[in-house]
Amino acid sequence: MMDQDELIAVFVEESIQHLESIEPDLLTMEQDLDNIDPDRVNGIFRAVHSIKGASGFFGLHKIGTLSHVMENLLSLLREEKMSVTTEFIDALFSGIDALRTMFDDVGNSEQIDIETQIDQLTSLLNASTSNPLTFNTSPLSSLPLTHATSNPSPLNQSESEVSESNSLATDPLATSHDSTTDKIGTDKAGTDKIGTDKAGTDKAGTDKGGKEVVMHQKSVGNKNAQGCQGITLESKIVTVKEKAETGKHSRTFDIPENMLDRFLKNGQWLYTITVYVKKDLTDKGKTPLDLINAIVSTGELIESRLDIDSIHGLLDCLDNEITFVFAFATILEKEFLPLALDIPEEQIQVIDTGQSHSLSQIETSTQIESQTIIEETIEAEPKGQIVEKTETEPKEQIEAKTEKKLQTPAESKTETEPKARLERKKQIVPNISMEKELKTSHPIQTEEKIRVGVTFLNDLVNLAGEMVLGRNQLNQITMPLVKETPGLNSVIQHISRITTEMQEKIMQMRMQPVSMIFGKFQRVVRDLAKKLNKEIKLVTHGEDVELDKSIIEALSDPLTHLIRNSVDHGIESPEDREKAGKPRQGSIQLKAYHQAGHVYIDIIDDGGGIDCTLVGEKAVEKELITREQMEEMGEKELASLIFKPGFSTAKQISAVSGRGVGMDVVMTNIKQLGGTVDIESTLLEGTTISLVLPLTLAIVSGLVIRTAGQHFILPEANIDELVRIKPDEIESRIDYIQNSCVLRLREMLLPLISLGDVLGLNHNSFVIKSDNSGKDQIEKEKQIKQHRYTTKQPTKNKQIQISKQTDPMRVAKQTDPMRVLVIKHGNSQFGLQVDAVENIEEIVVKPLPRYLKNQKCFSGASIMGNGSVSLILDAAGLFEKAKLHHIDLDRYRKKNRVDTRQDGKDIQTLLLFTNNTSERFALPLELISRIERIKASSIESIKDEQYLQYQGQKLRLVFLEDYLPVSRPERSPDDTIGVIVPKQMKHPMGIVIHLVEGTINAVVDIDTRSIMAPGLFGSAILENKITLLPDMYRLFELAAPEWYLHRSVLKGKGDGNEGRDKTQKILIVEDTPFFRMIEKDYLTSSGYDVLEAENGRQALSILSEQAVDGVILDIIMPEMDGWQTIRAIRADSRLKDLPVMAVTSLAEDIDPGEGLKAGFTQWEAKLNKERLLEKLAHMLKQGAKHEKEVA
Amino acid sequence: MNRQIATFNLGDSRLGIDILLIKEIYRHMSITPIPDSPPHLKGLMNLRGRVVTVIDLNVCLNRPSSEPIETSRLLVLKTDDEIGKYRQSGLPGNISLGHDIVGLLIDQMDDVITIQNSDILPAPPNLEETEDALIQGVIKQGEELIIILDVNEVLKKIMQACSSTE
């Protein structure tokens, strides 16, 4: 038995859920005011009703009163006595808001003033009904009255009906207990009767029957109910019925009239409850006394009966359930009874007192009946009643019989009574709408759920984290024992897998769909748009995308802000929109989707876009940036300025949102979640703001690195690539610019910082080698610290600092290779020099103790596999601490770019690898995300496909020998193999290799003739060896055609290629034959016609001769580079609107904003097939649109 | 009212802390130093999956830092949540230990002594170089003087040191 406090919590929770479910329904209703779906109205009605019902029980009068008025209004709508208007919806919304406020603080709900809402609602009510209703503050007592007034109905009619039915009810009851043969007879008779029934009422439909009729009867009963008279009437029935069945072993109950009267007056419900002695009591370890105590404390026991019918003798007395049926009056609504008595809901039935508190109540009881019916029939089978269940037997017969078995007095009394039915049907015919609504309510099958507190869940997450740690430790300790101990390996693997799975499941428990927050935005947009006199439609996609609960919660505010912003500043007024040739109604799209292990949430509006120059001017005016800086910025960068603190472009800061006021808060909030914000805006066309969020906060994949003998963790998400510099290359690849150190990486110059320096771990007195024992390290550390803190001489400190600056020279002298992590930092990158890179671990992030909150370099701590604590590095903090001269470096890089080019040809970096055969392969390094070393035994086979569990995903493995004309290697499960994981794939796939030979920087001259096969670009001679160049994306297509099918389908349908009546011609301008080929392959495979040019000059001559639909332009080319080419193209009046996409292998290096300013339509990284094609299609579409507009 | 004081040795002196504030005494230490942090912080340690901030009590008491020795232990303090229930039952002063677990590095554990509040005497002015603020008082046990630490003040001092580093 729950106490009231607990019950009230359940009530509040459920009510809030109800309110949440109402809102979208109301919004949908509002969209189409003339065409209201009665189901929807009913849904709302039911929700409001349940709130009202329970509020009375808890003595929450204000909630009761308000919901009661709302219910009345809804009931009018339900009966089609009024039509839906905007005022109506508004009134309901304000009611819902008031209810929500009250539920938020139930304890004080009585103090809240709801007069306005009530007035609003009542005025609507009075306006729409000729006989105004009055309201009582006690909803429960006033309810029957209002029902009565709205449904006047002749009393004598129903009375006669019912008495008639009772007299006849005896007949089928008697037969049901006769021999089986007799039963068939009766059944048939029953069918016949129903037949006549139907004929008599001229009703269509063949075998809907019993159940429907029952419902009719009930709805009539409900409608006919008339206050006290109704009660008298119904109580008579109960008594009469009981008499009719006396003598049979009946399970009906005799309820004295005066008692019934009293129950109804007190607003109590009557139930019959079936208790299975074994299932409900013995199995749960309860005694019958417990049950009786529970009953007595909840309500009033009217009568009970122990049913021993099912026991036929000693043999089955143990197998068959003894049932205990009791009639019971209580103030509790049906929803609460299962909780209060610990009895499954289906065993509880409401006695229709003819004055049912609402229709919904009856409906639920009907649904449950139909369930029990099925159960009962099955149970009945072994008892010799198989005949009953023949195929031909009409449904209603089974129902009728089981009804009798269950003996719900109100149901069975008319159940098998054709005449009574006839009567009722006649009466029902005019009321079709009521019937329809009842028919459509199907019992909803939902999974059983339990509520768990968030703290409990968090504990579980923590424990799961601990378990992962334990598993890691176990793995480490058992590693050397595995070989000697047979069976240990499999046990370890088993535990390992279970731990991972368990952790995943637990993390999943915290995952919630974004619909949790998306849902409320419909309302936000509606209200705001109304206030601002705008017409806006909000479209949401991907509501089922899930995120960690904590992220979902933290996301609510920033998203609300962004949406409000879009409504307020993004979308123009309908008039302006019309002038601009846009539809009056603006649209905001809210899109959630997964990409590359992150969740993206896009807010796309088709409004006016952001005026970047205006933003720039404003920023200069506010002294956020200098004019010089502004002039160097691209559009995107300028647009991003709105996220700077203290920025607002809104000429008038409205109450709703001043763009800029709080945009920086959005940025901060998202950053706190480990996410990023991206903005893309086209003036007059709209703005897209993308939030990129991690799936979860608690567990991240991190790279364990070591510097100065100490371990640190760097979240993998921050790392772009790992670079190993050979000792003899160090000198040539490290440069100094204005006293800061840079690393030459391909064609870029990366600012380089040393982790040891930033953290103050490297000291000129000792260069720490990796094999230093930890303790020594600590001791040395200590000395240094002591020195630093006790001397308190800033000048001295500075000297140490300066001497550290010369460290790269120290590095250069090293004989070990140098390790550099290339780290993403906003739009740029920097290199972090560390002593060693150890491995990747899934780490549980623990917050830093408060003493370390000021530490910029660390974002958290974690416990490693060996049980020690490691600090998690914060890339941004490190960078800030190192204070690099960002802008200077950028300039330098740009200047230097041209110089680094060698004899006009692009050098490719290729990964060389073998497949345990004599062939050698190469793949462009840029395509590869990482190479995993795994045990061949960890590959799992599913039918003919091989998978690897990888970062919580199923990585589909592709074997080269299956698709390429190469020899087949021998594989044994004990092998350690490599898996190449490509970058940015929609579907996780990997290529199985044997060994990585290394990387090579070379000018690749591809031979496409001598060795050719699908999935192969061709071959090349690299380092004097024939090397095959597989076409990775093609291989994937071959391996998993099903994942790529949709693309060709789309092609056929023309998605993204709309208006493409002829094949589109694309010019590829690219100096490197290798890339040219790959790009050409991508495009031709997608159905484009391709022209090729080796440099800008060639391209221009082609463009002058023939028309193309689009150009893909490389930036770095000999003779005439991409920048020059685009200027030339844009200078030509014929070509100024030609879509041109820039592709670059240095996606991070050059700022896309700059590119767009120069005149490029799009900007994309080379070799990213999916995105390239996507962007190309988009670009061409835009171009076509533009042309039309111009025309 | 009786109080129990856990006493321990650090350097040449004997110190004491109210036993109600102590969560446990921990033996196995593998401390991860925190780069670029004030010397008051010895490092971080894993205590059954929770991160403990290890404090160099010597530095706090203005003494030269020392390295852990064979008998060294970690006095793990309770957190605010854990001392909550003792607040009514005679925990002295308004103690706030924060929500992070803190461990004090000490040289050797000693007895637990039971005293009366009245046994605590004000600290003599000649008591080494330790700041007065950190000392709640002293107890005389025969010839020996036990310094009762004011944990609150110790933690405050550390917090100050940490805030001023950046």
Side-chain angles (χ1 to χ4, degrees):
Chain A
M1 176 75 200
M2 291 172 102
D3 61 19
Q4 176 132 342
D5 279 354
E6 254 173 277
L7 280 174
I8 210 164
V10 173
F11 164 62
V12 168
E13 210 170 313
E14 274 176 0
S15 301
I16 289 171
Q17 272 172 17
H18 277 314
L19 292 177
E20 267 162 21
S21 72
I22 295 174
E23 230 176 68
D25 278 343
L26 278 179
L27 286 165
T28 348
M29 266 166 69
E30 196 187 22
Q31 310 235 306
D32 195 357
L33 287 174
D34 304 325
N35 200 358
I36 301 295
D37 179 2
D39 284 351
R40 192 155 272 137
V41 182
N42 277 316
I44 302 174
F45 178 83
R46 276 196 296 272
V48 174
H49 173 78
S50 359
I51 293 173
K52 186 201 75 180
S55 63
F57 171 69
F58 292 108
L60 302 165
H61 296 296
K62 288 257 174 148
I63 291 175
T65 315
L66 184 57
S67 49
H68 181 58
V69 183
M70 286 167 71
E71 184 189 356
N72 278 309
L73 201 57
L74 283 162
S75 76
L76 284 179
L77 178 66
R78 221 160 53 120
E79 287 151 21
E80 295 176 9
K81 289 201 175 148
M82 69 179 289
S83 54
V84 187
T85 56
T86 334
E87 294 78 51
F88 176 86
I89 305 266
D90 279 341
L92 282 179
F93 266 136
S94 71
I96 286 167
D97 285 344
L99 280 179
R100 188 171 288 140
T101 326
M102 290 194 272
F103 278 119
D104 282 345
D105 187 7
V106 164
N108 295 321
S109 67
E110 292 300 299
Q111 268 81 57
I112 289 167
D113 180 29
I114 49 166
E115 284 304 314
T116 29
Q117 282 84 3
I118 300 247
D119 287 350
Q120 198 180 357
L121 288 160
T122 2
S123 65
L124 266 171
L125 254 179
N126 291 342
S128 59
T129 149
S130 45
N131 45 336
L133 303 163
T134 48
F135 302 105
N136 191 311
T137 37
S138 164
L140 279 174
S141 58
S142 68
L143 174 68
L145 283 170
T146 39
H147 268 286
T149 27
S150 56
N151 288 308
S153 147
L155 168 70
N156 39 5
Q157 191 194 338
S158 61
E159 196 170 26
S160 64
E161 242 173 65
V162 174
S163 55
E164 205 174 348
S165 79
N166 288 332
S167 61
L168 283 150
T170 40
D171 169 41
L173 270 169
T175 41
S176 74
H177 293 283
D178 279 347
S179 73
T180 32
T181 35
D182 278 350
K183 251 178 216 152
I184 298 168
T186 338
D187 292 349
K188 276 183 184 153
T191 334
D192 288 344
K193 275 176 201 159
I194 289 156
T196 18
D197 209 10
K198 275 168 192 152
T201 47
D202 263 337
K203 255 202 111 207
T206 41
D207 72 344
K208 305 211 161 135
K211 197 174 158 196
E212 218 176 291
V213 181
V214 182
M215 287 191 255
H216 296 166
Q217 182 266 321
K218 273 193 288 181
S219 49
V220 174
N222 188 26
K223 287 214 155 197
N224 291 349
Q226 278 217 2
C228 284
Q229 280 163 305
I231 296 163
T232 336
L233 162 75
E234 289 295 331
S235 61
K236 262 186 205 153
I237 296 161
V238 179
T239 327
V240 170
K241 181 172 161 36
E242 198 274 331
K243 275 179 199 151
E245 287 176 4
T246 338
K248 305 278 160 208
H249 48 275
S250 120
R251 264 165 285 169
T252 45
F253 298 102
D254 188 2
I255 305 170
E257 206 173 309
N258 55 347
M259 221 165 147
L260 192 65
D261 207 24
R262 177 164 58 83
F263 294 146
L264 292 171
K265 248 191 206 148
N266 294 346
Q268 284 173 312
W269 306 84
L270 292 183
Y271 300 95
T272 56
I273 297 173
T274 314
V275 180
Y276 294 98
V277 174
K278 185 167 180 294
K279 192 176 88 187
D280 296 323
L281 298 176
T282 331
D283 288 359
K284 288 180 183 167
K286 288 202 219 161
T287 65
L289 188 67
D290 290 337
L291 176 75
I292 289 167
N293 281 340
I295 292 169
V296 174
S297 59
T298 334
E300 192 171 338
L301 184 63
I302 306 165
E303 205 183 339
S304 67
R305 205 168 273 124
L306 195 62
D307 182 23
I308 49 165
D309 286 350
S310 54
I311 297 165
H312 296 250
L314 281 174
L315 266 179
D316 52 5
C317 74
L318 289 175
D319 305 332
N320 285 331
E321 270 280 22
I322 302 171
T323 51
F324 170 65
V325 188
F326 60 93
F328 175 52
T330 175
I331 198 157
L332 284 183
E333 289 210 17
K334 192 164 177 207
E335 295 94 288
F336 298 108
L337 272 185
L339 276 173
L341 299 178
D342 195 18
I343 301 281
E345 201 180 342
E346 60 267 19
Q347 291 171 24
I348 299 164
Q349 291 182 36
V350 189
I351 299 177
D352 183 6
T353 51
Q355 206 223 334
S356 280
H357 300 243
S358 88
L359 206 73
S360 68
Q361 205 61 40
I362 293 161
E363 253 172 67
T364 32
S365 78
T366 331
Q367 284 167 17
I368 282 141
E369 271 154 32
S370 59
Q371 280 168 2
T372 8
I373 282 151
I374 296 150
E375 279 168 26
E376 287 280 325
T377 325
I378 294 159
E379 255 177 52
E381 266 184 82
K383 294 174 206 158
Q385 298 184 2
I386 302 157
V387 211
E388 276 186 22
K389 249 204 108 192
T390 45
E391 284 291 312
T392 47
E393 186 179 38
K395 242 189 187 166
E396 56 266 45
Q397 281 301 320
I398 305 179
E399 238 179 286
K401 265 182 220 127
T402 38
E403 285 285 346
K404 268 176 272 150
K405 283 183 72 131
L406 290 169
Q407 304 282 342
T408 320
E411 313 293 292
S412 50
K413 65 186 178 226
T414 47
E415 195 44 47
T416 46
E417 184 36 59
K419 259 199 179 166
R421 229 186 258 163
L422 195 90
E423 289 266 345
R424 296 212 157 79
K425 272 217 166 165
K426 272 185 193 156
Q427 209 197 13
I428 264 113
V429 178
N431 202 345
I432 305 227
S433 70
M434 183 67 84
E435 178 197 339
K436 192 173 134 214
E437 127 204 328
L438 285 169
K439 227 190 304 178
T440 45
S441 65
H442 302 292
I444 300 152
Q445 294 290 320
T446 47
E447 205 183 339
E448 208 181 322
K449 285 182 179 158
I450 51 166
R451 288 170 207 274
V452 179
V454 176
T455 12
F456 184 81
L457 208 56
N458 287 345
D459 287 349
L460 216 53
V461 172
N462 280 340
L463 286 174
E466 299 309 317
M467 196 149 148
V468 172
L469 291 176
R471 192 258 326 258
N472 293 354
Q473 285 171 350
L474 191 70
N475 276 348
Q476 274 193 0
I477 293 167
T478 49
M479 196 86 83
L481 306 174
V482 163
K483 276 235 162 80
E484 292 105 66
T485 328
L488 180 62
N489 198 23
S490 61
V491 173
I492 298 278
Q493 280 189 2
H494 188 61
I495 288 182
S496 187
R497 203 180 57 236
I498 291 176
T499 313
T500 316
E501 254 173 55
M502 213 168 99
Q503 189 205 351
E504 272 169 19
K505 291 275 175 222
I506 291 175
M507 295 313 287
Q508 263 175 28
M509 279 164 59
R510 281 182 58 91
M511 298 297 256
Q512 291 187 311
V514 288
S515 56
M516 299 275 296
I517 39 173
F518 276 20
K520 70 170 188 179
F521 292 130
Q522 291 288 357
R523 177 76 191 279
V524 170
V525 170
R526 171 197 178 270
D527 286 1
L528 254 181
K530 227 171 169 188
K531 203 189 257 171
L532 300 165
N533 289 322
K534 290 183 183 179
E535 290 171 29
I536 299 169
K537 169 178 77 187
L538 176 72
V539 187
T540 53
H541 302 278
E543 285 102 328
D544 51 349
V545 170
E546 289 188 327
L547 277 168
D548 192 273
K549 186 180 158 60
S550 50
I551 300 183
I552 291 268
E553 279 162 3
L555 207 54
S556 178
D557 284 351
L559 264 186
T560 316
H561 201 91
L562 289 173
I563 297 246
R564 293 175 81 104
N565 220 313
S566 284
V567 175
D568 194 9
H569 304 292
I571 306 280
E572 318 90 322
S573 67
E575 295 74 37
D576 288 354
R577 289 183 65 86
E578 266 180 351
K579 266 182 228 156
K582 293 183 189 177
R584 279 179 71 88
Q585 192 181 42
S587 98
I588 297 175
Q589 285 186 61
L590 197 53
K591 239 188 213 172
Y593 54 95
H594 288 276
Q595 192 177 310
H598 283 87
V599 168
Y600 284 66
I601 296 181
D602 290 353
I603 300 110
I604 308 163
D605 68 52
D606 65 347
I610 295 171
D611 189 338
C612 296
T613 23
L614 199 75
V615 169
E617 291 292 340
K618 196 93 183 175
V620 173
E621 195 181 297
K622 301 220 162 194
E623 293 177 1
L624 294 169
I625 51 167
T626 63
R627 190 156 290 279
E628 293 78 55
Q629 274 175 320
M630 184 193 120
E631 270 151 22
E632 285 201 349
M633 281 174 152
E635 280 194 18
K636 204 168 159 175
E637 269 177 286
L638 286 172
S640 308
L641 285 173
I642 62 167
F643 291 113
K644 288 237 176 205
F647 189 90
S648 180
T649 58
K651 287 179 191 108
Q652 244 180 329
I653 295 173
S654 66
V656 182
S657 57
R659 187 160 266 190
V661 178
M663 278 306 238
D664 60 313
V665 180
V666 170
M667 191 68 150
T668 329
N669 285 352
I670 299 294
K671 273 197 174 155
Q672 260 168 15
L673 295 175
T676 55
V677 184
D678 201 32
I679 187 162
E680 222 166 281
S681 180
T682 319
L683 195 59
L684 305 176
E685 273 178 34
T687 310
T688 299
I689 295 174
S690 303
L691 311 179
V692 186
L693 299 157
L695 286 171
T696 172
L697 293 176
I699 297 187
V700 298
S701 169
L703 198 65
V704 182
I705 54 176
R706 197 182 59 214
T707 230
Q710 202 177 330
H711 288 102
F712 296 96
I713 299 161
L714 197 62
E716 213 188 348
N718 290 334
I719 303 171
D720 269 352
E721 64 180 291
L722 303 184
V723 183
R724 179 176 173 273
I725 305 164
K726 290 184 199 142
D728 52 326
E729 282 181 1
I730 291 177
E731 209 159 336
S732 61
R733 290 185 66 176
I734 292 193
D735 273 333
Y736 298 92
I737 298 159
Q738 299 174 353
N739 291 332
S740 57
C741 192
V742 292
L743 168 74
R744 253 172 226 278
L745 181 68
R746 291 186 288 277
E747 282 139 18
M748 307 184 277
L749 287 172
L750 274 185
L752 182 66
I753 58 176
S754 151
L755 182 60
D757 286 350
V758 178
L759 297 180
L761 291 175
N762 289 342
H763 302 287
N764 35 9
S765 53
F766 50 96
V767 175
I768 300 124
K769 284 277 167 260
S770 49
D771 48 0
N772 254 7
S773 80
K775 193 151 182 185
D776 277 7
Q777 181 49 38
I778 292 170
E779 221 158 282
K780 281 173 186 164
E781 263 304 306
K782 204 75 252 174
Q783 289 164 6
I784 298 297
K785 270 189 191 172
Q786 283 296 305
H787 175 75
R788 285 219 326 255
Y789 284 92
T790 43
T791 49
K792 287 177 185 167
Q793 276 176 312
T795 41
K796 219 170 192 177
N797 259 348
K798 219 167 219 170
Q799 265 165 8
I800 297 171
Q801 218 71 42
I802 291 159
S803 62
K804 268 192 270 163
Q805 286 295 328
T806 59
D807 267 355
M809 282 318 288
R810 170 183 62 83
V811 175
K813 277 179 215 134
Q814 273 186 341
T815 47
D816 295 337
M818 188 166 130
R819 305 270 180 182
V820 175
L821 312 178
V822 179
I823 292 175
K824 241 189 309 228
H825 172 64
N827 286 328
S828 60
Q829 290 175 312
F830 68 94
L832 186 69
Q833 184 259 319
V834 299
D835 289 355
V837 176
E838 305 223 313
N839 59 319
I840 288 178
E841 251 183 69
E842 292 284 304
I843 51 160
V844 181
V845 180
K846 311 243 171 197
L848 283 177
R850 60 178 169 148
Y851 308 101
L852 297 177
K853 289 286 188 232
N854 283 329
Q855 277 282 352
K856 288 209 171 57
C857 299
F858 308 115
S859 60
S862 178
I863 292 160
M864 310 292 293
N866 62 10
S868 66
V869 177
S870 278
L871 290 156
I872 301 168
L873 297 170
D874 183 79
L878 286 174
F879 194 77
E880 199 178 310
K881 185 130 195 270
K883 287 197 184 74
L884 294 163
H885 306 287
H886 220 39
I887 298 158
D888 292 343
L889 217 68
D890 273 351
R891 286 219 188 101
Y892 184 83
R893 250 189 285 169
K894 270 180 214 157
K895 259 186 266 161
N896 241 36
R897 194 174 296 128
V898 190
D899 309 341
T900 49
R901 301 210 16 82
Q902 297 177 358
D903 61 351
K905 283 204 169 186
D906 257 354
I907 294 178
Q908 300 309 304
T909 310
L910 295 169
L911 177 82
L912 299 175
F913 58 93
T914 64
N915 195 23
N916 208 7
T917 57
S918 53
E919 290 103 349
R920 187 165 76 167
F921 303 88
L923 275 175
L925 201 60
E926 289 178 40
L927 297 180
I928 298 167
S929 159
R930 62 206 294 185
I931 298 154
E932 288 287 322
R933 302 295 297 166
I934 57 155
K935 278 253 181 268
S937 55
S938 56
I939 296 178
E940 294 169 52
S941 283
I942 292 158
K943 211 180 164 206
D944 298 330
E945 295 161 3
Q946 276 74 38
Y947 290 93
L948 178 69
Q949 291 185 24
Y950 175 71
Q951 294 183 346
Q953 284 188 306
K954 292 174 289 297
L955 188 75
R956 172 96 169 255
L957 297 179
V958 177
F959 292 85
L960 290 171
E961 64 270 22
D962 292 345
Y963 304 100
L964 299 180
V966 296
S967 39
R968 187 163 282 272
E970 285 188 17
R971 297 192 190 277
S972 92
D974 300 329
D975 285 350
T976 306
I977 56 164
V979 176
I980 296 181
V981 185
K983 274 182 194 163
Q984 292 175 320
M985 288 287 293
K986 237 182 209 152
H987 304 286
M989 294 184 97
I991 295 176
V992 176
I993 62 165
H994 183 249
L995 263 186
V996 173
E997 284 196 343
T999 55
I1000 177 177
N1001 290 316
V1003 178
V1004 186
D1005 199 3
I1006 303 181
D1007 170 9
T1008 55
R1009 269 168 293 265
S1010 40
I1011 309 164
M1012 257 330 274
L1016 210 58
F1017 281 129
S1019 57
I1021 295 171
L1022 298 171
E1023 290 178 337
N1024 302 321
K1025 199 168 186 291
I1026 298 175
T1027 306
L1028 298 174
L1029 300 166
D1031 178 348
M1032 195 166 66
Y1033 291 110
R1034 200 61 208 285
L1035 270 180
F1036 291 153
E1037 279 183 28
L1038 289 170
E1042 67 277 12
W1043 284 343
Y1044 294 90
L1045 258 182
H1046 66 283
R1047 192 189 309 285
S1048 49
V1049 173
L1050 289 181
K1051 218 192 294 166
K1053 277 189 183 166
D1055 177 275
N1057 301 333
E1058 278 155 43
R1060 204 170 123 189
D1061 32 10
K1062 58 180 174 66
T1063 324
Q1064 282 174 305
K1065 211 180 276 176
I1066 306 293
L1067 174 67
I1068 297 177
V1069 191
E1070 165 73 65
D1071 58 325
T1072 322
F1074 176 69
F1075 281 133
R1076 205 159 61 224
M1077 213 179 74
I1078 295 181
E1079 280 163 18
K1080 184 179 175 183
D1081 185 71
Y1082 289 169
L1083 296 183
T1084 41
S1085 72
S1086 308
Y1088 292 99
D1089 252 359
V1090 178
L1091 295 171
E1092 297 172 65
E1094 272 180 38
N1095 56 47
R1097 217 169 294 284
Q1098 273 188 19
L1100 288 173
S1101 72
I1102 291 177
L1103 284 173
S1104 65
E1105 280 161 18
Q1106 49 183 309
V1108 298
D1109 297 292
V1111 178
I1112 293 179
L1113 188 58
D1114 187 23
I1115 293 297
I1116 298 152
M1117 287 183 296
E1119 297 202 31
M1120 189 172 177
D1121 73 7
W1123 301 106
Q1124 293 165 317
T1125 316
I1126 186 69
R1127 266 173 233 130
I1129 290 177
R1130 292 302 178 221
D1132 187 331
S1133 60
R1134 283 181 306 132
L1135 300 175
K1136 73 177 194 310
D1137 292 325
L1138 182 70
V1140 180
M1141 184 196 291
V1143 285
T1144 166
S1145 51
L1146 323 160
E1148 311 284 343
D1149 189 17
I1150 302 164
D1151 169 28
E1154 200 179 316
L1156 296 175
K1157 209 158 76 181
F1160 288 109
T1161 327
Q1162 284 282 2
W1163 193 275
E1164 188 46 68
K1166 262 179 207 175
L1167 300 182
N1168 190 335
K1169 181 175 179 179
E1170 290 179 12
R1171 287 189 56 129
L1172 186 84
L1173 289 175
E1174 213 173 274
K1175 281 210 174 173
L1176 180 67
H1178 180 73
M1179 177 175 93
L1180 293 174
K1181 205 166 114 191
Q1182 293 288 322
K1185 208 161 66 186
H1186 190 74
E1187 268 168 41
K1188 260 181 224 155
E1189 275 167 25
V1190 172
Chain B
M1 191 177 163
N2 281 344
R3 281 176 71 186
Q4 285 191 307
I5 303 288
T7 66
F8 53 89
N9 296 322
L10 185 74
D12 305 325
S13 53
R14 195 168 167 204
L15 303 165
I17 288 179
D18 195 304
I19 204 161
L20 289 179
L21 302 179
I22 297 170
K23 181 189 173 81
E24 66 182 279
I25 291 146
Y26 198 71
R27 183 181 187 149
H28 305 285
M29 282 174 282
S30 130
I31 301 168
T32 306
I34 309 157
D36 215 16
S37 64
H40 306 75
L41 302 184
K42 197 92 187 162
L44 299 175
M45 199 198 69
N46 168 21
L47 180 77
R48 295 186 298 278
R50 296 185 68 174
V51 176
V52 178
T53 316
V54 180
I55 282 164
D56 193 332
L57 207 49
N58 274 325
V59 177
C60 298
L61 300 177
N62 292 342
R63 302 178 193 184
S65 169
S66 68
E67 281 314 301
I69 50 173
E70 183 58 27
T71 55
S72 283
R73 297 288 180 273
L74 195 68
L75 255 170
V76 182
L77 301 182
K78 286 176 182 159
T79 59
D80 269 352
D81 301 337
E82 285 163 319
I83 56 168
K85 57 181 169 219
Y86 300 115
R87 286 199 192 282
Q88 291 89 13
S89 57
L91 199 67
N94 278 330
I95 288 188
S96 162
L97 299 180
H99 295 283
D100 305 301
I101 308 181
V102 168
L104 306 175
L105 195 61
I106 55 151
D107 286 350
Q108 193 177 19
M109 274 314 290
D110 208 324
D111 292 341
V112 174
I113 53 167
T114 307
I115 55 149
Q116 298 290 320
N117 263 341
S118 54
D119 294 341
I120 303 178
L121 309 168
N126 59 343
L127 201 73
E128 298 166 44
E129 67 275 38
T130 314
E131 292 162 39
D132 290 349
L134 303 183
I135 298 172
Q136 216 172 58
V138 293
I139 300 166
K140 271 200 180 120
Q141 262 214 334
E143 288 298 297
E144 210 175 8
L145 213 59
I146 300 168
I147 304 167
I148 311 285
L149 284 180
D150 188 333
V151 179
N152 235 3
E153 290 298 320
V154 173
L155 294 184
K156 251 190 225 164
K157 188 178 177 188
I158 295 163
M159 199 62 219
Q160 268 165 20
C162 291
S163 317
S164 58
T165 43
E166 285 291 318

